Coordinates of all heavy atoms in Angstrom, one line a residue:
M23 N 121.7 55.2 79.5 CA 121.0 55.8 80.6 C 121.9 55.8 81.8 O 122.5 54.9 82.1 CB 119.8 54.8 80.9 CG 118.9 55.3 81.9 SD 117.4 54.2 82.1 CE 116.1 55.4 81.7
D24 N 121.9 56.9 82.5 CA 122.7 57.1 83.7 C 121.9 56.9 85.0 O 120.9 57.7 85.2 CB 123.3 58.5 83.6 CG 124.1 58.9 84.8 OD1 124.6 58.0 85.5 OD2 124.4 60.1 85.1
F25 N 122.2 55.9 85.7 CA 121.5 55.7 86.9 C 122.3 56.2 88.2 O 121.9 56.1 89.3 CB 121.4 54.1 87.2 CG 120.3 53.6 86.2 CD1 120.7 52.9 85.0 CD2 119.0 53.7 86.4 CE1 119.9 52.4 84.2 CE2 118.1 53.2 85.5 CZ 118.5 52.6 84.4
Q26 N 123.5 56.9 88.0 CA 124.2 57.4 89.1 C 123.4 58.3 90.0 O 123.5 58.2 91.2 CB 125.4 58.1 88.6 CG 126.5 57.2 87.8 CD 127.2 56.4 88.9 OE1 127.3 56.5 90.0 NE2 127.9 55.4 88.3
G27 N 122.6 59.2 89.5 CA 121.9 60.2 90.2 C 120.4 59.8 90.5 O 119.7 60.6 91.0
A28 N 120.2 58.6 90.1 CA 118.7 58.1 90.4 C 118.5 57.8 91.7 O 119.3 57.4 92.5 CB 118.5 56.8 89.5
S29 N 117.2 58.0 92.1 CA 116.9 57.6 93.4 C 115.6 56.8 93.3 O 114.9 56.7 92.2 CB 116.6 58.8 94.3 OG 115.5 59.6 93.7
Y30 N 115.2 56.1 94.4 CA 114.0 55.3 94.4 C 113.3 55.4 95.7 O 113.9 56.0 96.7 CB 114.3 53.8 94.0 CG 115.3 53.2 95.1 CD1 114.7 52.5 96.2 CD2 116.5 53.3 95.0 CE1 115.6 52.0 97.1 CE2 117.4 52.7 95.9 CZ 116.9 52.1 97.0 OH 117.7 51.5 98.0
G31 N 112.1 55.0 95.8 CA 111.5 55.0 97.0 C 110.7 56.4 97.3 O 110.7 57.2 96.4
V32 N 110.4 56.5 98.5 CA 109.6 57.7 99.0 C 110.6 58.6 99.7 O 111.1 58.1 100.7 CB 108.3 57.3 99.7 CG1 107.6 58.5 100.1 CG2 107.4 56.5 98.8
D33 N 110.7 59.8 99.5 CA 111.5 60.8 100.3 C 110.6 61.3 101.4 O 110.0 62.3 101.3 CB 111.9 61.9 99.4 CG 112.9 62.9 100.2 OD1 113.1 62.7 101.4 OD2 113.3 63.8 99.5
I34 N 110.6 60.5 102.5 CA 109.8 60.8 103.7 C 110.1 62.1 104.2 O 109.3 63.0 104.7 CB 109.9 59.7 104.7 CG1 109.1 58.4 104.2 CG2 109.1 60.2 106.0 CD1 109.4 57.2 105.0
M35 N 111.5 62.4 104.4 CA 112.0 63.7 105.0 C 111.5 64.8 104.1 O 111.1 65.9 104.5 CB 113.4 63.6 105.1 CG 114.0 62.6 106.1 SD 113.3 62.9 107.8 CE 114.1 64.3 108.3
G36 N 111.6 64.7 102.8 CA 111.1 65.6 101.8 C 109.7 65.9 102.0 O 109.3 67.1 101.9
I37 N 108.9 64.9 102.1 CA 107.4 65.1 102.1 C 107.2 65.9 103.5 O 106.4 66.9 103.5 CB 106.7 63.7 102.2 CG1 106.7 63.2 100.8 CG2 105.2 63.9 102.7 CD1 106.3 61.8 100.7
N38 N 107.8 65.4 104.6 CA 107.6 66.1 105.9 C 108.0 67.5 105.8 O 107.4 68.5 106.4 CB 108.3 65.4 107.0 CG 107.6 64.0 107.3 OD1 106.5 63.7 107.0 ND2 108.4 63.2 107.8
Q39 N 109.1 67.8 105.1 CA 109.5 69.2 104.9 C 108.6 70.0 104.2 O 108.3 71.2 104.4 CB 111.0 69.2 104.3 CG 111.6 70.7 104.3 CD 111.8 71.2 105.7 OE1 112.4 70.6 106.6 NE2 111.3 72.5 105.8
Y40 N 108.1 69.4 103.2 CA 107.1 70.1 102.2 C 105.8 70.4 103.0 O 105.4 71.7 103.0 CB 106.7 69.1 101.1 CG 105.6 69.7 100.2 CD1 105.9 70.8 99.3 CD2 104.3 69.2 100.2 CE1 104.9 71.2 98.5 CE2 103.4 69.6 99.4 CZ 103.6 70.7 98.6 OH 102.7 71.2 97.8
I41 N 105.4 69.5 103.8 CA 104.2 69.8 104.6 C 104.5 70.9 105.8 O 103.7 71.9 106.0 CB 103.7 68.5 105.5 CG1 103.1 67.6 104.5 CG2 102.8 68.9 106.5 CD1 102.9 66.1 105.0
S42 N 105.7 70.9 106.3 CA 106.2 71.9 107.2 C 106.2 73.2 106.6 O 105.8 74.2 107.1 CB 107.5 71.5 107.9 OG 107.9 72.5 108.8
D43 N 106.9 73.2 105.5 CA 107.0 74.6 104.7 C 105.7 75.1 104.4 O 105.3 76.3 104.5 CB 107.8 74.4 103.4 CG 109.2 74.1 103.7 OD1 109.6 74.2 104.9 OD2 109.9 73.7 102.8
L44 N 104.7 74.2 103.9 CA 103.4 74.7 103.5 C 102.6 75.2 104.7 O 102.0 76.2 104.7 CB 102.6 73.6 102.9 CG 101.3 73.9 102.3 CD1 101.3 74.9 101.2 CD2 100.4 72.7 101.9
N45 N 102.8 74.5 105.9 CA 102.1 75.0 107.1 C 102.5 76.3 107.6 O 101.9 77.1 108.0 CB 102.3 73.9 108.3 CG 101.5 72.6 108.0 OD1 100.6 72.5 107.1 ND2 101.9 71.6 108.7
T46 N 103.9 76.4 107.5 CA 104.5 77.8 107.8 C 104.0 78.8 106.9 O 103.5 79.9 107.4 CB 105.9 77.7 107.8 OG1 106.5 76.7 108.6 CG2 106.6 79.1 108.1
A47 N 103.8 78.6 105.7 CA 103.3 79.6 104.7 C 101.9 79.9 105.0 O 101.5 81.1 105.0 CB 103.6 79.1 103.2
I48 N 101.1 78.9 105.2 CA 99.7 79.2 105.4 C 99.4 79.7 106.8 O 98.8 80.8 106.9 CB 98.9 77.9 105.4 CG1 98.9 77.4 103.8 CG2 97.4 78.0 105.8 CD1 98.2 76.0 103.6
L49 N 99.9 79.2 107.8 CA 99.5 79.5 109.2 C 100.3 80.7 109.6 O 99.7 81.6 110.3 CB 99.9 78.4 110.3 CG 99.1 77.2 110.1 CD1 99.4 76.2 111.1 CD2 97.5 77.6 110.3
T50 N 101.4 81.0 109.1 CA 102.2 82.1 109.5 C 101.9 83.3 108.5 O 101.5 84.4 109.0 CB 103.7 81.9 109.7 OG1 103.9 80.8 110.6 CG2 104.5 83.1 110.1
K51 N 102.3 83.1 107.3 CA 102.3 84.3 106.4 C 100.9 84.6 106.0 O 100.4 85.8 106.2 CB 103.1 83.9 105.2 CG 104.5 83.8 105.4 CD 105.3 83.3 104.2 CE 106.9 83.1 104.7 NZ 107.7 82.8 103.5
V52 N 100.1 83.8 105.5 CA 98.7 83.9 104.9 C 97.8 84.4 106.2 O 97.1 85.4 106.0 CB 98.2 82.9 104.3 CG1 96.7 83.1 103.8 CG2 99.0 82.5 103.0
S53 N 97.9 83.7 107.2 CA 97.0 84.0 108.3 C 97.3 85.4 108.9 O 96.4 86.2 109.2 CB 97.1 83.0 109.5 OG 96.5 81.8 109.1
N54 N 98.6 85.7 109.0 CA 99.0 87.1 109.5 C 98.4 88.2 108.5 O 98.0 89.2 109.0 CB 100.5 87.2 109.5 CG 101.0 86.5 110.8 OD1 100.2 86.1 111.6 ND2 102.3 86.3 110.8
V55 N 98.4 88.0 107.2 CA 98.0 89.0 106.3 C 96.5 89.1 106.4 O 95.9 90.2 106.4 CB 98.4 88.5 104.8 CG1 97.6 89.4 103.8 CG2 99.9 88.6 104.6
I56 N 95.8 88.0 106.5 CA 94.3 88.0 106.7 C 93.9 88.8 108.0 O 93.0 89.6 108.0 CB 93.8 86.6 106.7 CG1 93.8 86.0 105.3 CG2 92.2 86.6 107.2 CD1 93.6 84.5 105.3
R57 N 94.7 88.5 109.0 CA 94.4 89.1 110.3 C 94.9 90.6 110.5 O 94.3 91.3 111.3 CB 94.9 88.3 111.4 CG 94.1 87.0 111.7 CD 94.4 86.6 113.2 NE 93.4 85.5 113.5 CZ 93.7 84.3 113.3 NH1 94.8 83.8 113.0 NH2 92.7 83.4 113.8
N58 N 95.6 91.1 109.6 CA 96.1 92.4 109.6 C 95.1 93.3 109.0 O 95.1 93.6 107.7 CB 97.5 92.5 109.0 CG 98.0 94.0 109.1 OD1 97.5 94.8 109.7 ND2 99.1 94.2 108.3
T59 N 94.2 93.8 109.8 CA 93.0 94.7 109.3 C 93.4 96.1 109.7 O 92.4 96.9 109.5 CB 91.7 94.2 109.8 OG1 91.7 94.1 111.2 CG2 91.4 92.8 109.3
S60 N 94.6 96.4 110.1 CA 94.8 97.8 110.7 C 94.5 98.9 109.7 O 94.0 99.9 110.0 CB 96.2 97.8 111.2 OG 97.2 97.5 110.3
E61 N 94.9 98.6 108.4 CA 94.8 99.7 107.4 C 93.3 100.0 107.2 O 92.8 101.1 107.0 CB 95.5 99.3 106.1 CG 96.9 99.4 106.1 CD 97.6 99.1 104.8 OE1 97.1 99.6 103.7 OE2 98.6 98.5 104.7
V62 N 92.6 98.9 107.0 CA 91.1 99.1 106.9 C 90.4 99.8 108.1 O 89.7 100.8 108.0 CB 90.3 97.7 106.6 CG1 88.8 97.9 106.6 CG2 90.9 97.1 105.4
E63 N 90.9 99.3 109.3 CA 90.4 100.0 110.6 C 90.7 101.6 110.6 O 89.9 102.3 110.9 CB 90.9 99.3 111.8 CG 90.4 97.9 111.9 CD 90.9 97.1 113.1 OE1 91.4 97.9 114.1 OE2 90.8 95.9 113.1
T64 N 92.0 101.8 110.2 CA 92.3 103.2 110.1 C 91.5 104.0 109.2 O 91.0 105.1 109.6 CB 93.8 103.4 109.8 OG1 94.6 102.6 110.7 CG2 94.2 104.8 109.8
E65 N 91.2 103.5 108.1 CA 90.4 104.3 107.0 C 89.0 104.4 107.5 O 88.3 105.4 107.3 CB 90.6 103.6 105.7 CG 92.0 103.6 105.0 CD 92.4 105.1 104.9 OE1 91.6 106.0 104.5 OE2 93.6 105.3 105.2
V66 N 88.5 103.3 108.0 CA 87.1 103.4 108.5 C 86.9 104.4 109.6 O 86.0 105.1 109.6 CB 86.6 101.9 109.0 CG1 85.3 102.0 109.8 CG2 86.5 101.0 107.8
K67 N 87.8 104.3 110.6 CA 87.7 105.3 111.6 C 88.0 106.8 111.2 O 87.4 107.7 111.8 CB 88.8 104.9 112.8 CG 88.4 103.6 113.5 CD 89.5 103.3 114.4 CE 89.2 101.9 115.1 NZ 90.2 101.4 116.1
A68 N 88.6 106.9 110.1 CA 88.9 108.3 109.6 C 87.7 108.9 108.9 O 87.4 110.1 108.9 CB 90.1 108.3 108.7
G69 N 86.8 108.0 108.3 CA 85.7 108.5 107.5 C 84.4 107.9 107.9 O 83.4 108.3 107.2
W70 N 84.3 107.2 108.9 CA 83.0 106.6 109.3 C 82.8 106.4 110.8 O 83.8 105.9 111.4 CB 82.9 105.2 108.5 CG 81.6 104.4 108.6 CD1 80.5 105.0 109.0 CD2 81.5 103.2 108.1 NE1 79.5 104.0 108.8 CE2 80.1 102.8 108.3 CE3 82.2 102.2 107.6 CZ2 79.5 101.7 107.9 CZ3 81.7 101.0 107.2 CH2 80.3 100.7 107.4
V71 N 81.8 106.8 111.3 CA 81.7 106.9 112.8 C 80.3 106.3 113.1 O 79.4 106.3 112.2 CB 81.8 108.3 113.4 CG1 83.2 108.8 113.4 CG2 80.9 109.2 112.8
G72 N 80.2 105.8 114.2 CA 78.9 105.3 114.7 C 78.9 103.8 114.8 O 79.9 103.1 114.6
Q73 N 77.7 103.4 115.2 CA 77.5 102.0 115.4 C 77.7 101.1 114.2 O 78.2 99.9 114.4 CB 76.0 101.7 116.1 CG 75.9 100.2 116.5 CD 74.5 100.2 117.1 OE1 73.7 101.0 117.2 NE2 74.2 98.9 117.5
S74 N 77.4 101.7 113.1 CA 77.5 100.9 111.8 C 79.0 100.6 111.6 O 79.4 99.6 111.1 CB 76.8 101.5 110.6 OG 77.2 102.7 110.4
A75 N 79.7 101.6 111.9 CA 81.2 101.5 111.6 C 81.8 100.4 112.5 O 82.6 99.6 112.2 CB 81.9 102.9 111.7
D76 N 81.4 100.5 113.7 CA 81.9 99.7 114.9 C 81.5 98.2 114.4 O 82.2 97.2 114.5 CB 81.4 99.9 116.3 CG 81.9 101.2 116.7 OD1 82.9 101.7 116.2 OD2 81.2 101.8 117.7
Q77 N 80.2 98.0 114.0 CA 79.7 96.7 113.5 C 80.5 96.2 112.4 O 80.8 95.0 112.3 CB 78.2 96.7 113.2 CG 77.6 95.4 113.2 CD 77.8 94.5 114.3 OE1 77.5 94.9 115.4 NE2 78.1 93.2 114.0
F78 N 80.8 97.1 111.4 CA 81.5 96.6 110.2 C 83.0 96.1 110.7 O 83.4 95.1 110.2 CB 81.8 97.9 109.3 CG 82.7 97.5 108.2 CD1 82.2 96.9 107.0 CD2 84.0 97.9 108.3 CE1 83.0 96.7 105.9 CE2 84.9 97.7 107.1 CZ 84.3 97.0 106.0
L79 N 83.6 96.9 111.6 CA 84.9 96.4 112.0 C 84.8 95.1 112.8 O 85.7 94.2 112.6 CB 85.5 97.5 112.9 CG 86.0 98.8 112.1 CD1 86.5 99.8 113.0 CD2 87.0 98.4 111.0
L80 N 83.7 94.9 113.6 CA 83.6 93.7 114.3 C 83.5 92.5 113.3 O 84.0 91.4 113.4 CB 82.4 93.8 115.2 CG 82.1 92.6 116.1 CD1 83.1 92.3 117.1 CD2 80.7 92.7 116.7
N81 N 82.6 92.7 112.3 CA 82.3 91.7 111.3 C 83.6 91.4 110.5 O 83.8 90.2 110.1 CB 81.2 92.2 110.4 CG 79.9 92.1 111.0 OD1 79.7 91.6 112.2 ND2 78.9 92.9 110.5
L82 N 84.3 92.4 110.2 CA 85.6 92.2 109.4 C 86.5 91.3 110.2 O 87.1 90.4 109.6 CB 86.3 93.5 109.2 CG 87.6 93.6 108.5 CD1 87.5 93.1 107.1 CD2 88.3 95.0 108.6
N83 N 86.7 91.6 111.5 CA 87.6 90.8 112.3 C 87.0 89.3 112.5 O 87.8 88.4 112.5 CB 88.0 91.4 113.6 CG 88.8 92.6 113.4 OD1 89.8 92.5 112.8 ND2 88.4 93.8 114.0
K84 N 85.8 89.2 112.6 CA 85.1 87.8 112.7 C 85.4 87.1 111.4 O 85.7 85.9 111.4 CB 83.7 88.0 113.0 CG 83.3 88.3 114.4 CD 81.7 88.2 114.5 CE 81.4 88.6 116.0 NZ 79.9 88.6 116.1
A85 N 85.2 87.8 110.2 CA 85.5 87.2 108.9 C 86.9 86.7 108.8 O 87.2 85.6 108.4 CB 85.0 88.1 107.8
A86 N 87.8 87.5 109.3 CA 89.2 87.1 109.2 C 89.5 85.9 110.0 O 90.2 85.0 109.6 CB 90.1 88.4 109.6
D87 N 88.9 85.9 111.3 CA 89.0 84.7 112.0 C 88.5 83.5 111.5 O 89.0 82.4 111.4 CB 88.3 84.9 113.4 CG 89.2 85.8 114.4 OD1 90.4 86.1 114.0 OD2 88.6 86.5 115.3
T88 N 87.3 83.6 110.8 CA 86.7 82.4 110.1 C 87.6 81.9 109.0 O 87.7 80.8 108.7 CB 85.2 82.9 109.6 OG1 84.5 83.3 110.7 CG2 84.6 81.8 108.8
M89 N 88.1 82.9 108.2 CA 89.0 82.5 107.1 C 90.3 81.8 107.7 O 90.6 80.8 107.0 CB 89.4 83.8 106.3 CG 88.4 84.4 105.4 SD 88.9 85.8 104.6 CE 90.0 85.1 103.4
C90 N 90.8 82.3 108.6 CA 92.0 81.5 109.2 C 91.6 80.1 109.7 O 92.4 79.2 109.6 CB 92.5 82.4 110.4 SG 93.4 83.9 109.7
D91 N 90.4 80.1 110.4 CA 89.9 78.7 110.8 C 89.7 77.7 109.6 O 90.1 76.6 109.7 CB 88.5 78.8 111.5 CG 88.8 79.5 113.0 OD1 90.0 79.5 113.4 OD2 87.8 79.9 113.6
T92 N 89.1 78.4 108.5 CA 88.9 77.6 107.4 C 90.3 77.1 106.7 O 90.5 75.9 106.3 CB 88.1 78.4 106.3 OG1 86.9 78.7 106.9 CG2 87.9 77.5 105.1
L93 N 91.3 77.9 106.8 CA 92.7 77.6 106.2 C 93.2 76.5 107.1 O 93.8 75.6 106.5 CB 93.6 78.8 106.3 CG 93.5 79.8 105.1 CD1 94.3 81.0 105.4 CD2 93.8 79.1 103.8
K94 N 93.0 76.6 108.4 CA 93.5 75.5 109.2 C 92.9 74.1 108.9 O 93.6 73.1 108.9 CB 93.2 75.8 110.8 CG 94.1 76.9 111.3 CD 93.9 77.1 112.8 CE 94.6 78.4 113.4 NZ 94.2 78.7 114.6
E95 N 91.7 74.1 108.7 CA 90.9 73.0 108.3 C 91.4 72.5 106.9 O 91.6 71.2 106.8 CB 89.4 73.1 108.3 CG 88.8 73.4 109.7 CD 89.2 72.1 110.6 OE1 88.9 71.0 110.2 OE2 89.4 72.4 111.8
L96 N 91.5 73.3 106.0 CA 92.1 72.9 104.7 C 93.5 72.4 104.8 O 93.9 71.4 104.1 CB 92.0 74.1 103.7 CG 90.7 74.6 103.2 CD1 90.7 75.9 102.5 CD2 90.0 73.5 102.3
E97 N 94.3 73.0 105.6 CA 95.6 72.5 105.9 C 95.6 71.0 106.4 O 96.4 70.2 106.0 CB 96.3 73.4 106.7 CG 97.7 72.9 107.2 CD 98.1 73.7 108.5 OE1 97.4 74.3 109.2 OE2 99.4 73.6 108.7
K98 N 94.8 70.8 107.4 CA 94.7 69.5 107.9 C 94.2 68.4 106.8 O 94.8 67.4 106.7 CB 93.6 69.4 109.0 CG 94.1 70.1 110.3 CD 93.1 70.1 111.4 CE 93.4 71.0 112.6 NZ 92.3 71.0 113.5
T99 N 93.2 68.8 106.0 CA 92.8 68.0 104.9 C 93.8 67.7 103.9 O 94.2 66.6 103.5 CB 91.6 68.7 104.2 OG1 90.6 68.8 105.2 CG2 91.1 67.7 103.2
F100 N 94.6 68.8 103.5 CA 95.7 68.6 102.6 C 96.8 67.7 103.2 O 97.3 66.9 102.4 CB 96.3 70.0 102.3 CG 97.4 70.0 101.2 CD1 97.1 69.8 99.8 CD2 98.7 70.1 101.6 CE1 98.1 69.7 98.9 CE2 99.6 70.1 100.6 CZ 99.5 69.9 99.3
E101 N 97.1 68.0 104.4 CA 98.2 67.1 105.0 C 97.9 65.7 105.1 O 98.6 64.8 104.7 CB 98.4 67.7 106.4 CG 99.6 67.0 107.1 CD 100.0 67.7 108.4 OE1 99.6 68.9 108.6 OE2 100.5 66.9 109.3
A102 N 96.6 65.4 105.3 CA 96.1 64.0 105.3 C 96.2 63.4 103.9 O 96.5 62.2 103.8 CB 94.7 63.9 105.8
E103 N 95.9 64.1 103.0 CA 95.9 63.8 101.6 C 97.3 63.4 101.1 O 97.6 62.4 100.5 CB 95.3 64.7 100.6 CG 93.8 64.8 100.7 CD 93.1 63.6 100.3 OE1 93.5 62.9 99.3 OE2 92.0 63.2 100.9
I104 N 98.3 64.3 101.5 CA 99.7 64.0 101.1 C 100.3 62.9 102.0 O 100.9 62.0 101.3 CB 100.6 65.3 101.6 CG1 100.2 66.6 100.7 CG2 102.0 65.1 101.5 CD1 100.6 66.3 99.2
K105 N 99.9 62.7 103.2 CA 100.3 61.5 103.9 C 99.7 60.2 103.3 O 100.3 59.2 103.2 CB 99.9 61.7 105.3 CG 100.9 62.6 106.1 CD 100.5 62.8 107.6 CE 101.5 63.7 108.3 NZ 101.2 64.0 109.6
G106 N 98.5 60.3 102.8 CA 97.8 59.2 102.2 C 98.5 58.8 100.8 O 98.8 57.6 100.5
I107 N 99.0 59.8 100.1 CA 99.7 59.6 98.8 C 101.1 59.0 99.2 O 101.5 58.0 98.6 CB 100.0 60.8 98.1 CG1 98.7 61.4 97.5 CG2 101.0 60.6 97.0 CD1 98.7 62.8 96.9
K108 N 101.7 59.5 100.2 CA 103.0 58.8 100.8 C 102.8 57.5 101.1 O 103.6 56.6 100.7 CB 103.6 59.7 102.0 CG 104.7 59.1 102.5 CD 105.2 59.6 103.8 CE 104.2 59.2 104.8 NZ 104.5 59.6 106.3
D109 N 101.8 57.1 101.8 CA 101.6 55.7 102.2 C 101.2 54.9 101.0 O 101.8 53.7 101.0 CB 100.4 55.6 103.2 CG 100.6 56.2 104.5 OD1 101.8 56.5 104.9 OD2 99.7 56.5 105.3
Q110 N 100.6 55.4 100.0 CA 100.3 54.7 98.8 C 101.6 54.4 98.0 O 101.9 53.3 97.6 CB 99.3 55.3 98.0 CG 97.9 55.3 98.4 CD 97.0 56.2 97.6 OE1 97.3 56.6 96.5 NE2 95.7 56.3 98.0
M111 N 102.5 55.3 98.0 CA 103.7 55.2 97.3 C 104.7 54.2 98.0 O 105.3 53.4 97.4 CB 104.5 56.5 97.2 CG 103.8 57.4 96.3 SD 104.4 59.2 96.4 CE 106.1 58.9 95.7
M112 N 104.7 54.2 99.4 CA 105.4 53.3 100.1 C 104.9 51.8 99.9 O 105.7 50.8 99.7 CB 105.5 53.6 101.6 CG 106.2 54.9 101.9 SD 106.1 55.4 103.6 CE 107.1 54.2 104.4
D113 N 103.6 51.7 99.9 CA 103.0 50.4 99.6 C 103.4 49.9 98.2 O 103.6 48.7 98.1 CB 101.4 50.4 99.7 CG 101.0 50.6 101.2 OD1 101.8 50.4 102.1 OD2 99.8 51.0 101.3
F114 N 103.4 50.8 97.2 CA 103.7 50.4 95.9 C 105.2 50.0 95.8 O 105.5 49.0 95.2 CB 103.4 51.7 95.0 CG 103.9 51.4 93.5 CD1 103.1 50.5 92.7 CD2 105.1 51.9 93.0 CE1 103.5 50.3 91.3 CE2 105.5 51.5 91.7 CZ 104.7 50.8 90.9
D115 N 106.1 50.7 96.5 CA 107.5 50.4 96.6 C 107.7 49.0 97.3 O 108.6 48.3 96.8 CB 108.3 51.4 97.3 CG 108.6 52.7 96.5 OD1 108.1 52.7 95.3 OD2 109.2 53.6 97.0
D116 N 107.0 48.8 98.2 CA 107.0 47.5 98.9 C 106.7 46.2 98.0 O 107.1 45.2 98.1 CB 106.1 47.5 100.1 CG 106.7 48.2 101.3 OD1 107.9 48.6 101.2 OD2 106.0 48.6 102.2
T117 N 105.8 46.5 97.1 CA 105.3 45.4 96.1 C 106.2 45.3 94.9 O 106.0 44.5 94.1 CB 103.8 45.6 95.7 OG1 103.7 46.9 95.0 CG2 103.0 45.6 96.9
L118 N 107.2 46.2 94.6 CA 108.0 46.1 93.5 C 108.9 45.0 93.5 O 109.2 44.3 92.5 CB 108.8 47.4 93.3 CG 108.0 48.7 92.7 CD1 108.9 49.9 92.8 CD2 107.4 48.4 91.4
V119 N 109.5 44.7 94.6 CA 110.4 43.5 94.8 C 109.7 42.6 95.9 O 109.7 42.9 97.0 CB 111.8 44.1 95.3 CG1 112.7 42.9 95.4 CG2 112.2 45.1 94.3
D120 N 109.5 41.4 95.4 CA 108.9 40.4 96.2 C 110.1 39.6 96.9 O 111.0 39.2 96.3 CB 108.1 39.4 95.4 CG 107.3 38.5 96.2 OD1 107.4 38.6 97.6 OD2 106.5 37.6 95.8
A121 N 110.0 39.5 98.2 CA 111.0 39.1 99.0 C 111.2 37.5 98.9 O 112.1 36.9 99.2 CB 110.9 39.4 100.5
E122 N 110.1 36.9 98.3 CA 110.2 35.5 98.3 C 111.0 35.0 97.2 O 111.2 35.3 96.1 CB 108.8 34.9 98.2 CG 108.0 35.2 99.5 CD 106.6 34.6 99.4 OE1 106.4 33.6 98.8 OE2 105.7 35.3 99.8

């Protein structure tokens, strides 16, 4: 068995980077895609006029905002879970070797 490349403990920097990367992907990439309703708006305006079209676009943008808010909440929940797992792993590592 080769222990040269083995590691132990919790990679706190790795966990933090993982959370940061996930946040960037969710908040930046996914949220931008959700909020980009310009193609739908263009098509609606090209073929649909009146108050119902305006209401549809208003509802579309409200739904996009709601989805982004939900993603933010899910992100916070996921981050809390990952940090909880990290804390459990650190506690486990602390009990592997008794200092006494």
Side-chain angles (χ1 to χ4, degrees):
M23 181 177 244
D24 178 18
F25 289 100
Q26 293 288 346
S29 63
Y30 62 92
V32 178
D33 182 359
I34 294 172
M35 296 300 289
I37 290 172
N38 291 340
Q39 185 62 50
Y40 176 72
I41 290 171
S42 176
D43 292 346
L44 186 66
N45 290 347
T46 299
I48 290 174
L49 291 180
T50 303
K51 295 177 184 175
V52 175
S53 292
N54 286 345
V55 169
I56 290 170
R57 284 202 167 96
N58 184 4
T59 59
S60 60
E61 286 184 42
V62 175
E63 289 180 24
T64 300
E65 294 301 319
V66 167
K67 290 176 183 177
W70 189 6
V71 294
Q73 186 176 3
S74 59
D76 294 340
Q77 189 62 46
F78 174 83
L79 293 175
L80 180 67
N81 290 342
L82 177 68
N83 288 313
K84 282 183 183 178
D87 288 341
T88 299
M89 286 180 70
C90 289
D91 291 344
T92 301
L93 277 174
K94 285 180 189 175
E95 291 303 314
L96 289 171
E97 174 194 17
K98 289 177 189 175
T99 300
F100 182 76
E101 187 173 333
E103 289 296 320
I104 292 293
K105 287 181 178 179
I107 291 168
K108 175 191 74 174
D109 291 344
Q110 289 175 5
M111 291 171 68
M112 291 175 68
D113 290 344
F114 178 77
D115 279 359
D116 286 343
T117 62
L118 285 177
V119 179
D120 192 358
E122 293 180 41

